[in-house]
Amino acid sequence: MNNLIGVYTIWYRDVLRFWYDKARMFSALLFPVFFLVIFGAGLTQSIGMMAEGVDFIQFMYPGIIAMSVLMGAFMSGVSIVWDREYGFLKEVLVAPISRISVAVGRTLGSATVATIQGIMILVLAPIVDVSLTVWMVVALIPLSFLLAASMGSLGILLASRVKSTEAFQAIMQMLMFPMMFLSGVFFPMQNLPSWMSVIVKINPASYGVAAIRQVVLGNPPDSPFTITLFGHAMGIWENIGVMAAFGLVMSILAMWSFGRQE
Amino acid sequence: MSEYIIQVENLVKKYGQLAAVNDISFGVESGEIFGFLGPNGAGKTTTINILCTLARPTSGKATLDGYDVVKQQNQVRQSIGLVFQDSSLDDRLTGLHNLRFHAMVYNVPKSVRDERIEQVLRMVDLWDKRKNFVRTYSGGMKRRLELARGLLHYPKVLFLDEPTLGLDPQTRNYIWDYILDLRKREGTTIFLTTHYMDEAEKANRIAIIDHGKLVAMDTPAKLKRMVARDIITVKTRDNEKAAENIRERYRTDVRKDGDTLVFDVDNGEEFLPDFISESGIKVTSISLRHPTLEDVFLKITGHEIRDEEVGDTLKEALRRGGPMRH
Ligand SMILES: Nc1ncnc2c1ncn2[C@@H]1O[C@H](COP(=O)(O)OP(=O)(O)O)[C@@H](O)[C@H]1O
Ligand SMILES: [Mg+2]
């Protein structure tokens, strides 16, 4: 019971902080808009149609949603490191709630924030000429949440191991940028050089990006956006399955590691 | 055994080769102010970290309110309040948010939550500032907010790790008023660390710690009596005769210092009236100085606790400029 309250409180704080941090909210919207406008305006004409009825900016749009979610999710690790740096983590760690509930609350909190950040991008749909349906919005919420929670657990796992802020930031940059840029946000899965194709398939974020794209752009079996694993074209549920499995492993590791730290 | 609310036995904490806490044992009585006095790096914070379940001891045993700090962490945590040496507030939220958060995780019943938050905020004079973001608070206000937060769940033991470090004298006095008042009203046991002598004086009992070792433990008065006697300085119409008198009557060495006489006696308060009425020599001035804890520390450890104080302003500057680990 106490632990449930703990989870809720930690979650609530994350959401509250996001709410009061207008700058973060603003930049969460600005960065993706920036990508959409620059790459969209710059490349859409010259690249031409990516698939039947899908131009480059439309192709990129669900990727940008996923990217916002990913960026929000990585914040969970970053904010633990900040909390340690600024001392608040001590207040949390001496509270009469278990370490596991702290880790769970943190994961859920940043996943909520990341989901909000992703869903905020939906405002831009008319600009890129993507028509949204209620079903899409309803499906995107849990999907974004799952993607954020899986990636957020990875962040928490790292934050509980790497104690120095500088080292953590270095690792995050080394991990976050490849994970974001090599996840199919900006390019389709087909016709990639084979080394890149391998990396994209190893990158767990790719499956989240693919699933979000499948929701927004539909899911034709011959789509050039589909991830093909060992000759098998991954359907949306299979992508979700990969995400969930990765998330499960990461969150177990994160809780174990977070619980053991001094 | 259970008359002690905190019981520490042969506690050791090693960081690599360094024994930050080196085999210390002590007990803290329920309701007392117990002071840990020692220079920077002596192991005070490390001891608190172990007692509040933030660090695991390398060996030894510690119990708080009968609960083992390693095996019964949740019970220990529920029984204690903390004011850390470095700020542990969420400065991106308001003072009120910080207290609400605390009330929730410490399971303060909803029915009394708001009332208690108001009570502690008024106690530290922050009620009017409750809706301001903590990052806009001054150092003293942050400390007071932490104190209020530490008390919110009515802990049995309140740990204060250098509670007034880096604060101006006025704020220090304020904070001490709160602490003393609290103990009187709630009977809270207070475990305090400090390297300020005047602060240590306010404790009922003091443990002196140096290089991870506990070197002495007693009431401030007894500690001082143990190592040094009261120091008397007098000026009389006839110093020669007075000196002879004193040597004979009080059996103590008298030293001439300019036109004054300096000597020490066991009990200065009893000595003064006796000397003035019995000596028969006109006394023009007389003063009594009690030995300080500084004298005690010097005598026991062979070095001054002040050694580090030179670096204090620098340390404060760093502290303000950026967070420090301990
Ligand atoms: N986490 C840690 N890792 C390594 N050494 C530490 C750690 N915490 C404290 N120490 C060392 O232990 C000693 C005691 O530190 P501390 O308990 O903070 O002293 P105090 O609070 O009395 O100033 C110091 O030498 C300090 O450098
Ligand atoms: Mg300390």
Side-chain angles (χ1 to χ4, degrees):
Chain A
M1 186 56 199
N2 224 15
N3 284 330
L4 272 182
I5 294 172
V7 170
Y8 168 72
T9 314
I10 304 275
W11 171 86
Y12 178 68
R13 168 175 174 258
D14 262 2
V15 176
L16 205 61
R17 269 170 73 102
F18 178 66
W19 175 249
Y20 281 107
D21 198 348
K22 301 290 188 239
R24 189 168 141 208
M25 223 190 271
F26 187 67
S27 75
L29 200 56
L30 195 70
F31 199 43
V33 169
F34 185 76
F35 269 99
L36 267 183
V37 171
I38 305 277
F39 284 104
L43 294 170
T44 303
Q45 291 308 318
S46 53
I47 289 183
M49 286 314 222
M50 305 286 292
E52 192 62 35
V54 180
D55 64 13
F56 181 66
I57 200 166
Q58 288 167 332
F59 162 79
M60 203 170 57
Y61 178 67
I64 295 290
I65 296 175
M67 193 181 83
S68 303
V69 173
L70 286 177
M71 281 186 349
F74 277 121
M75 280 300 294
S76 59
V78 176
S79 54
I80 284 185
V81 174
W82 277 351
D83 276 355
R84 185 180 287 122
E85 184 90 20
Y86 289 100
F88 187 75
L89 191 64
K90 273 194 271 183
E91 155 80 353
V92 173
L93 294 182
V94 291
I97 51 176
S98 69
R99 300 276 152 96
I100 289 181
S101 56
V102 174
V104 172
R106 219 49 228 242
T107 311
L108 297 182
S110 60
T112 305
V113 170
T115 303
I116 295 170
Q117 291 186 354
I119 297 302
M120 268 163 39
I121 307 298
L122 294 182
V123 184
L124 305 173
I127 299 171
V128 298
D129 208 14
V130 168
S131 57
L132 290 174
T133 62
V134 175
W135 135 251
M136 275 185 205
V137 179
V138 169
L140 280 177
I141 292 173
L143 206 53
S144 302
F145 196 86
L146 178 63
L147 175 62
S150 313
M151 289 299 157
S153 303
L154 174 62
I156 290 173
L157 174 63
L158 288 175
S160 65
R161 301 273 97 189
V162 183
K163 299 281 158 92
S164 104
T165 312
E166 294 79 14
F168 185 79
Q169 259 155 9
I171 290 178
M172 278 318 255
Q173 311 233 313
M174 266 160 31
L175 212 64
M176 189 168 111
F177 284 106
M179 273 189 138
M180 252 162 38
F181 290 107
L182 293 173
S183 64
V185 169
F186 298 106
F187 44 77
M189 297 298 152
Q190 256 79 60
N191 306 324
L192 293 177
S194 57
W195 64 269
M196 204 162 162
S197 175
V198 169
I199 295 178
V200 169
K201 284 172 189 172
I202 291 173
N203 181 2
S206 305
Y207 299 89
V209 175
I212 288 179
R213 183 165 281 136
Q214 280 164 326
V215 167
V216 177
L217 298 181
N219 188 19
D222 60 340
S223 161
F225 316 141
T226 314
I227 300 176
T228 312
L229 214 53
F230 308 116
H232 170 73
M234 300 287 280
I236 183 164
W237 285 107
E238 287 159 329
N239 286 328
I240 291 173
V242 173
M243 263 288 90
F246 177 74
L248 193 67
V249 173
M250 280 304 130
S251 50
I252 289 170
L253 286 177
M255 279 177 226
W256 171 78
S257 174
F258 196 78
R260 271 172 36 109
Q261 72 174 336
E262 283 205 350
Chain B
M1 153 138 192
S2 55
E3 67 191 284
Y4 289 123
I5 191 155
I6 300 175
Q7 180 105 24
V8 173
E9 283 161 37
N10 306 105
L11 201 65
V12 177
K13 176 70 181 178
K14 285 192 175 150
Y15 291 114
Q17 289 295 307
L18 175 84
V21 172
N22 194 355
D23 193 18
I24 63 176
S25 304
F26 62 89
V28 176
E29 284 164 27
S30 189
E32 76 173 334
I33 299 183
F34 185 83
F36 238 40
L37 176 69
N40 285 327
K44 304 184 295 295
T45 300
T46 305
T47 308
I48 286 199
N49 282 347
I50 294 171
L51 293 177
C52 76
T53 76
L54 271 183
R56 233 157 278 166
T58 307
S59 66
K61 186 174 149 69
T63 57
L64 195 146
D65 200 21
Y67 299 115
D68 189 294
V69 299
V70 177
K71 296 185 199 112
Q72 293 163 298
Q73 297 197 338
N74 261 355
Q75 287 94 324
V76 171
R77 290 177 189 163
Q78 188 72 52
S79 318
I80 60 175
L82 277 142
V83 176
F84 292 103
Q85 187 173 339
D86 297 309
S87 170
S88 64
L89 297 164
D90 186 345
D91 65 358
R92 299 263 170 167
L93 292 177
T94 66
L96 195 57
H97 284 139
N98 270 278
L99 293 193
R100 284 218 187 108
F101 175 89
H102 189 88
M104 282 164 83
V105 287
Y106 281 82
N107 225 350
V108 176
K110 242 204 175 101
S111 51
V112 296
R113 202 173 281 170
D114 290 341
E115 183 189 320
R116 278 221 211 147
I117 288 176
E118 179 169 350
Q119 181 202 343
V120 292
L121 276 175
R122 285 197 189 281
M123 184 186 98
V124 297
D125 289 331
L126 283 175
W127 178 245
D128 295 335
K129 306 273 188 208
R130 67 190 183 281
K131 289 187 175 158
N132 294 13
F133 283 90
V134 172
R135 63 171 177 274
T136 65
Y137 284 20
S138 69
M141 286 161 74
K142 283 185 186 167
R143 270 292 137 116
R144 272 146 56 199
L145 183 64
E146 290 199 75
L147 194 60
R149 186 181 66 180
L151 299 172
L152 194 57
H153 56 286
Y154 290 174
K156 289 211 173 97
V157 181
L158 181 64
F159 288 97
L160 304 169
D161 197 1
E162 315 241 7
T164 61
L165 185 71
L167 299 181
D168 58 276
Q170 197 192 359
T171 314
R172 281 173 73 175
N173 286 340
Y174 266 141
I175 289 195
W176 267 104
D177 287 346
Y178 300 134
I179 295 173
L180 295 175
D181 182 50
L182 173 84
R183 168 159 169 277
K184 216 187 291 162
R185 278 189 310 157
E186 309 287 343
T188 313
T189 307
I190 292 169
F191 188 109
L192 161 90
T193 81
T194 184
H195 66 279
Y196 292 129
M197 297 295 168
D198 52 333
E199 224 162 74
E201 296 271 0
K202 306 200 183 185
N204 300 106
R205 283 191 312 138
I206 300 175
I208 295 181
I209 182 168
D210 192 35
H211 297 302
K213 283 266 183 204
L214 218 150
V215 291
M217 181 164 67
D218 216 321
T219 64
K222 279 198 189 138
L223 277 176
K224 286 184 283 192
R225 215 166 299 148
M226 191 174 87
V227 296
R229 307 203 297 170
D230 293 345
I231 297 139
I232 310 281
T233 310
V234 289
K235 211 159 129 185
T236 64
R237 285 272 163 76
D238 188 349
N239 276 354
E240 289 297 322
K241 195 164 163 229
E244 199 140 308
N245 237 334
I246 293 161
R247 277 192 200 102
E248 237 159 63
R249 190 173 163 83
Y250 303 102
R251 312 222 159 271
T252 179
D253 281 337
V254 183
R255 189 161 53 82
K256 269 207 196 104
D257 186 6
D259 58 351
T260 62
L261 300 173
V262 182
F263 53 96
D264 53 46
V265 295
D266 276 327
N267 189 329
E269 277 83 0
E270 279 172 22
F271 165 84
L272 286 184
D274 186 73
F275 175 69
I276 291 167
S277 62
E278 300 298 320
S279 72
I281 299 166
K282 178 85 174 149
V283 176
T284 47
S285 84
I286 188 159
S287 73
L288 158 69
R289 182 173 85 81
H290 293 296
T292 63
L293 285 172
E294 205 113 31
D295 300 319
V296 178
F297 191 86
L298 179 63
K299 188 113 175 190
I300 295 179
T301 66
H303 62 94
E304 291 194 26
I305 198 168
R306 289 282 193 96
D307 287 351
E308 275 86 359
E309 292 231 344
V310 193
D312 256 7
T313 30
L314 180 68
K315 197 175 162 213
E316 257 340 284
L318 287 173
R319 207 177 129 86
R320 296 245 163 75
M324 295 216 325
R325 210 100 16 103
H326 33 249

